[in-house]
């Protein structure tokens, strides 16, 4: 949590952007984007007046950084273990927490999902995360990346401001390695496939993303087929188990890319045919593995989330029961 701070600009800071100047003084705990949100929230003043992030500072300017109002931050007493959803913790130390997020759990509170989130579960078990609320009071302490509500699997959460900044930088610079498993409609013909299709907001349906967006961003996903399954009945297209390694992290990227080649995730309500696959009641997508560089030690670490029950049961029907050795083979597949 930000401690109220007063900074005086020197001659060497003349004409420097306000957000750049403040982020320099608050680094490494707070990034420039976080400082920009603080400025927008009115928590930063210059000579007693609210200013814009792009405003230039002058020598002698007195910049005051205030804490977010107490009511905007988390109250740890509101989050008791008995009341919050349970969460499986894969790893935790003084800097990071790694969890296996279940399908159906939203990452942080949002309109329509005010409670029962991953953040609620984390605060119940790690109440000190309350101090990690964003400096503008936004309710996402330590969250540096996300999984869709109905995507299961491994997620990493920062436990300190230092780690939040370091991990955010790793995601931005694409140092983090992510591996997903998906069960998709139909038999994917090619064993290997790289999908390079920019993804952005759908031009008409605003809840969807699309490869036909008017404002797309680059997106790359590497696909490897692990198994193909014959149709279970007449009219069924069969299915494929695939591993996906995304180079980028666009919203809904993997789901959009798979649908764009005619093989949406089974059960996907947005990009496939929800409820028409006869098994999954959510998109069949699981974040299997995540590799990061530890923010403090510099050690390269890998975390694996076991297969969820619906994956295990579907694969068992297909006479496939992958053990830890098989999961390792899938992760290391070239």
């Amino acid at each position: 949590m930000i401690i109220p701070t007063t900074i005086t600009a020197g001659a060497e800071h003349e004409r420097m952007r306000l957000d750049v100047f403040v982020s320099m003084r608050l680094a490494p705990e707070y990034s420039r984007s976080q400082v920009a949100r603080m400025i927008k929230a009115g928590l930063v003043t210059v000579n007693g007046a609210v200013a814009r992030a792009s405003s230039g500072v002058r020598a002698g300017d007195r910049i005051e950084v205030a804490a977010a109002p107490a009511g905007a931050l988390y109250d740890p007493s509101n989050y008791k273990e008995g009341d919050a959803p349970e969460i499986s913790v894969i790893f935790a130390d003084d800097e990071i927490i790694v969890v296996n997020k279940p399908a159906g759990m939203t990452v942080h509170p949002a309109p329509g999902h005010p409670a029962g989130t991953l953040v609620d579960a984390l605060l119940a078990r790690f109440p000190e995360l309350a101090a990690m609320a964003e400096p503008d009071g936004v309710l996402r302490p330590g969250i540096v990346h996300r999984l869709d509500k109905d995507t299961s699997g491994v997620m990493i959460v920062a436990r300190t401001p230092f780690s939040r900044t370091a991990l955010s930088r790793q995601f931005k610079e694409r140092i983090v390695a992510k591996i997903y498993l998906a069960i998709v409609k139909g038999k994917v013909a090619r064993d290997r496939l790289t999908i390079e299709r920019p993804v952005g907001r759908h031009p008409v349906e605003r809840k969807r993303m699309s490869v036909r967006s008017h404002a797309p961003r680059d997106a790359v996903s590497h696909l490897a087929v692990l198994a193909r399954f014959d149709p279970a009945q007449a009219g069924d297209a069969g299915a494929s188990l695939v591993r996906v390694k995304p180079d980028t992290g666009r919203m809904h990227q993997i789901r959009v890319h798979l649908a764009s080649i005619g093989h949406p995730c089974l059960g996907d309500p947005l990009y496939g045919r929800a409820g028409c696959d006869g098994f999954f009641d959510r998109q069949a997508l699981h974040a299997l593995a995540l590799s990061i560089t530890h923010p403090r030690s510099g050690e390269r670490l890998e975390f694996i989330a076991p297969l969820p029950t619906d994956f295990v049961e579907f694969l068992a029907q297909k006479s496939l029961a992958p053990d830890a050795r098989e999961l390792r083979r899938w992760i290391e597949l070239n």
Side-chain angles (χ1 to χ4, degrees), residues 183-186 255 258-260 262-266 268 271-273:
I183 300 174
V184 304
K185 180 180 179 181
R255 297 164 63 191
L258 290 172
S260 76
H263 297 285
C265 293
L266 295 187
D268 194 326
Y271 306 105
R273 299 178 64 195

Side-chain angles (χ1 to χ4, degrees), residues 200-274:
R201 189 71 62 180
H202 192 284
V204 177
E205 301 176 53
R206 306 307 293 170
K207 290 185 178 181
R208 291 164 56 100
M209 305 299 284
S210 174
V211 295
R212 296 182 177 85
S213 172
H214 296 321
R217 301 176 68 187
D218 67 303
V220 180
S221 304
H222 303 283
L223 181 74
V225 177
L226 303 175
R228 297 179 179 88
F229 308 115
D230 291 329
Q233 57 190 16
D236 184 2
S240 301
L241 172 66
V242 300
R243 185 198 69 174
V244 184
K245 292 182 67 175
D247 284 350
T248 49
R250 307 306 176 205
M251 182 177 180
H252 297 181
Q253 174 180 318
I254 294 174
R255 297 164 63 191
V256 170
H257 272 175
L258 290 172
S260 76
I261 62 169
H263 297 285
C265 293
L266 295 187
D268 194 326
L270 277 181
Y271 306 105
R273 299 178 64 195

Side-chain angles (χ1 to χ4, degrees), residues 3-180:
I3 298 174
T5 304
T6 300
I7 312 166
T8 301
E12 67 274 21
H13 306 125
E14 186 75 24
R15 300 288 183 179
M16 183 179 289
R17 282 177 58 110
L18 178 61
D19 56 348
V20 173
F21 173 68
V22 175
S23 61
M24 284 175 53
R25 300 301 296 268
L26 298 183
E29 282 75 12
Y30 294 96
S31 66
R32 180 175 170 181
S33 62
Q34 289 173 317
V35 168
R37 289 198 294 273
M38 293 164 59
I39 295 171
K40 186 175 181 180
L43 301 178
V44 179
T45 59
V46 179
N47 301 323
V50 174
R52 295 187 177 185
S54 59
S55 299
V57 300
R58 295 180 177 274
D61 279 350
R62 180 184 176 89
I63 293 90
E64 295 184 355
V65 183
L73 301 178
Y74 288 105
D75 179 356
S77 65
N78 291 336
Y79 299 88
K80 299 179 175 63
E81 283 202 56
D83 301 329
E86 294 185 2
I87 190 70
S88 173
V89 176
I90 297 172
F91 175 86
D93 66 8
D94 291 342
E95 295 292 338
I96 61 175
I97 302 166
V98 183
V99 302
N100 181 11
K101 187 190 85 67
M105 178 180 283
T106 302
V107 172
H108 57 73
H113 301 285
T117 68
L118 174 64
V119 163
D120 296 319
L122 288 167
L123 283 169
R125 187 157 178 177
F126 304 97
E128 72 278 4
L129 281 175
M132 281 287 292
E134 289 288 321
D136 58 357
V138 175
L139 308 183
R140 48 172 181 262
I143 302 299
V144 293
H145 72 123
R146 295 171 179 78
L147 293 178
D148 296 339
K149 176 186 175 183
D150 287 324
T151 297
S152 56
V154 64
M155 275 191 64
I156 187 167
V157 177
R159 205 167 181 174
T160 66
F162 175 84
S163 289
R164 175 177 55 197
T165 299
L167 289 172
S168 295
R169 183 180 300 115
Q170 288 187 43
F171 277 96
K172 182 177 181 180
E173 296 176 355
R174 302 177 184 176
I175 297 171
V176 177
K178 298 169 285 184
I179 294 178
Y180 291 76

